[in-house]
Structure formats: C-alpha cells, structure tokens
Amino acid sequence: MPSGCAIDKGTALAAGFDADWAGTPDVTTIDTTENNTLPFAGSAAGTLTLRDGTPADRVSALANDLRRYVTEHGNVTGRIAAGTVTFTVVADRRRADEALALWRSLTADRRLLSGDLHDAPTKGVVRWRVELTATDAAAATTLFEDLLTDGGRHRPLSDVVSLKVGTGRDTRPGLSVGTDFDGARPTEALAAYQAVAARYAVAAATLMPDRAAIVVAKQADLARARELAEKAAPTLGTALKVTTTGAP
C-alpha cells in the first residue's frame, strides 16, 4: 500500500525510508522513528550513519541526495551522522548547504568531540538547535562565541533558535554555556564566569541568559569570587550562584 494511503502513515513512511536507502554505499546503519498522529496522518525521521572516514565529497553527495528525498517525501525528516557531527538535511537548498558547510568545518575542528545540528521548524520556517560537546572549558567558550559572532572559524547557521556548548561529562573543569530558546545570549553569565576564572580556578559552571552557577576550587576566596561575579553580572541577582567545592 502506498505510504500516502496507509492508516499508520508514520510507520509506512519509516518503512519506505528504510527500503529506499538500504544498500546505499558508505551507509552503515539506518535508524528510523515514526509518529502516527491520526489515522492516515503521521511523520517519520531517518538517520543515515556513514562509515568512519567517508570523504567529505561523498558526504556532500549523500546530503544532496537526501535533500531531494525529503523534498519529494512530505513529513519525512532526514539526518546524516558523519564523523563527530550529526546534522539534519532540510529541503531548502540554501539552508541545507549552510548545515553541510558547518558540518565540514566542525568535523575538522579538533576542539570538538561531538555535535548535533537539529532542525526546529516554526510555522514552516526552518530554525536550528545546535548542541556541541567540546574537549575542555576553554574550547567550549571559544566555540560558543565563534558560532554567535560569525567572525571565527565556523560560519553560524541562519535562524538558530538555541545554541548549547558544553564539555564532556567526565571533563574537569566542566562547563555548559547556552542561549535560551529565543536565542538570547548569556552575556552577563559569561562576564561573571570570565571575571572569576581570571582570578580563581573554576571547577564547574553553567551559564545561561537568566542564571549562572559557578563552582570555584576550595582554595579560592569565596567571598571575593562572589564579589567579582556580582560586579560583572549586576542584573542576575539571586540567579547568580557562586559556590565552592569545599562547601558542605
């Protein structure tokens, strides 16, 4: 039965994705999910995982093929996992090319452990959620600023709804920095972090537009660290927390 006529349309679309991409050279696995919202209505998502070392030109060719596929198959989301980064391939050529270009630069960046460029459409307009894991705290802040300013190594995507960059779970010191879901930047939180880090060792920090949590090493002067942070982020108020690893 054609997918357009299937009662469980999401299931049919996912099965069609599996069948259409099975046996594609350089694709090691195909992962699909389906969403059956109503009888005869639904959607599916499929991710093509490419073999390690697939050349960039081959990734580009597969991304172009996948872009045509999602254009021709409504309600299907296509994604590619290649190297350290997974990215969504959208129907709009300009935006698809932007994501592919960012994939190229990110996978060549040794500061990056993993990344996800995920579409977050709003009323039919392509928007993006970007999540990156960096090798260390310094790399995380550099990547974050780079992807916001368009003045560094990586060219930001158009219409990013949220950006989050962090360190790996076992990385010390740990850091997580992000925008909110309206794209607001953590300007004061970053300023507070940088003011404290310039004077004391920071063990961990979470930095968001409306809050900041900074943990300093137990040898630090906690009162002075708080003073530095509060001066740099005067409007965060009680949403600014500075603690120590030596706190009970």
Side-chain angles (χ1 to χ4, degrees), residues 19 46 77 99 146 158 190:
T77 298
D146 193 338
S158 300
L190 267 169

Side-chain angles (χ1 to χ4, degrees), residues 26-93:
D26 299 310
V27 175
T28 60
T29 59
I30 302 172
D31 297 307
T32 57
T33 58
E34 67 267 2
N35 181 22
N36 296 305
T37 52
L38 292 169
F40 306 104
S43 60
T47 300
L48 307 177
T49 299
L50 308 190
R51 66 174 176 83
D52 291 343
T54 298
D57 287 348
R58 175 60 176 156
V59 176
S60 298
L62 286 169
N64 286 330
D65 291 344
L66 187 54
R67 185 189 64 80
R68 287 190 289 270
Y69 186 90
V70 298
T71 301
E72 296 167 359
H73 295 76
N75 299 318
V76 174
T77 298
R79 287 166 55 75
I80 289 178
T84 55
V85 178
T86 300
F87 62 100
T88 300
V89 177
V90 298
D92 183 279
R93 180 183 289 275

Side-chain angles (χ1 to χ4, degrees), residues 179-204:
T179 68
D180 64 16
F181 283 98
D182 292 317
R185 303 182 180 192
T187 304
E188 286 202 3
L190 267 169
Y193 168 76
Q194 290 164 349
V196 173
R199 182 73 178 271
Y200 302 109
V202 174

Side-chain angles (χ1 to χ4, degrees), residues 223-244:
R224 178 57 179 156
R226 284 176 176 160
E227 181 182 343
L228 291 169
E230 290 167 359
K231 183 177 180 180
T235 68
L236 286 183
T238 58
L240 172 61
K241 308 291 186 184
V242 182
T243 59
T244 177

